[in-house]
């Protein structure tokens, strides 16, 4: 007599493995960070830097965070970048012949569970002041 597989036993093992895998994936947290280095600066200022006609006077930064539950959140992810750059510009408190150059945007994604995601975008740049030389 040939013994067959006990289908109930196989189903229980498969169900147990599925539950364990779901718990491991659901309770772990992940983080992703990336630098958004493309030049998206839409300012149309033309400046000649062939001479020593400027000096770096500091740095400015701005940071915004968006939270998403089931993919729905308070702001779209591409708008976070614009808001971070806007926050950086506000924090720079520019006056006279000053400008922000070398703008860098960094995006960090924290996934607490697959349900909850937090995206933080940080924009930084150098503040330069142009001189008459």
């Amino acid at each position: 007599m040939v013994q067959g597989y006990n289908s109930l036993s196989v189903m229980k093992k498969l169900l147990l493995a599925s539950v364990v895998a779901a718990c491991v994936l659901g309770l772990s947290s992940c983080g992703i960070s990336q630098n958004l280095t493309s030049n998206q600066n839409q300012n149309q200022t033309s400046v000649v830097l062939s001479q020593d006609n400027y000096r770096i006077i500091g740095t400015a930064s701005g940071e915004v965070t968006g939270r998403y539950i089931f993919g729905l959140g308070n702001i779209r992810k591409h708008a976070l970048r614009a808001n971070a750059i806007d926050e950086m510009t506000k924090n720079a408190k520019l006056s006279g012949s000053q400008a922000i150059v070398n703008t860098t945007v960094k995006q960090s994604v924290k996934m607490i569970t697959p349900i909850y995601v937090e995206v933080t975008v940080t924009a930084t740049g150098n503040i330069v002041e142009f001189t008459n030389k």
Side-chain angles (χ1 to χ4, degrees):
M1 184 164 153
V2 177
Q3 289 185 339
Y5 289 104
N6 184 351
S7 62
L8 187 58
S9 174
V10 171
M11 291 297 287
K12 284 182 181 179
K13 289 179 182 179
L14 185 61
L15 180 62
L16 179 62
S18 299
V19 169
V20 169
C23 287
V24 167
L25 291 175
L27 297 176
S28 65
S29 65
C30 300
I32 300 170
S33 180
Q34 67 182 23
N35 288 324
L36 307 172
T37 57
S38 63
N39 185 8
Q40 298 294 324
N41 191 354
Q42 298 298 320
N43 296 333
Q44 296 298 321
T45 306
S46 177
V47 178
V48 177
L49 298 177
S50 61
Q51 304 170 9
D52 188 17
N53 62 347
Y54 68 95
R55 63 186 176 106
I56 298 175
I57 60 172
T59 60
S61 65
E63 182 176 284
V64 265
T65 301
R67 291 169 183 84
Y68 305 91
I69 298 175
F70 292 113
L72 303 172
N74 56 348
I75 192 169
R76 295 182 183 209
K77 291 179 183 178
H78 65 80
L80 286 174
R81 176 187 170 88
N83 288 352
I85 292 173
D86 185 49
E87 190 70 26
M88 174 189 65
T89 305
K90 287 179 189 175
N91 292 339
K93 299 178 183 172
L94 300 176
S95 64
S97 61
Q98 296 176 346
I100 300 174
V101 297
N102 300 332
T103 302
T104 304
V105 179
K106 179 182 176 187
Q107 177 177 315
S108 173
V109 179
K110 294 179 187 174
M111 187 182 311
I112 310 298
T113 66
I115 298 168
Y116 178 80
V117 177
E118 186 175 280
V119 179
T120 302
V121 178
T122 306
T124 58
N126 295 326
I127 303 172
V128 297
E129 183 172 40
F130 297 98
T131 59
N132 294 330
K133 282 192 177 184

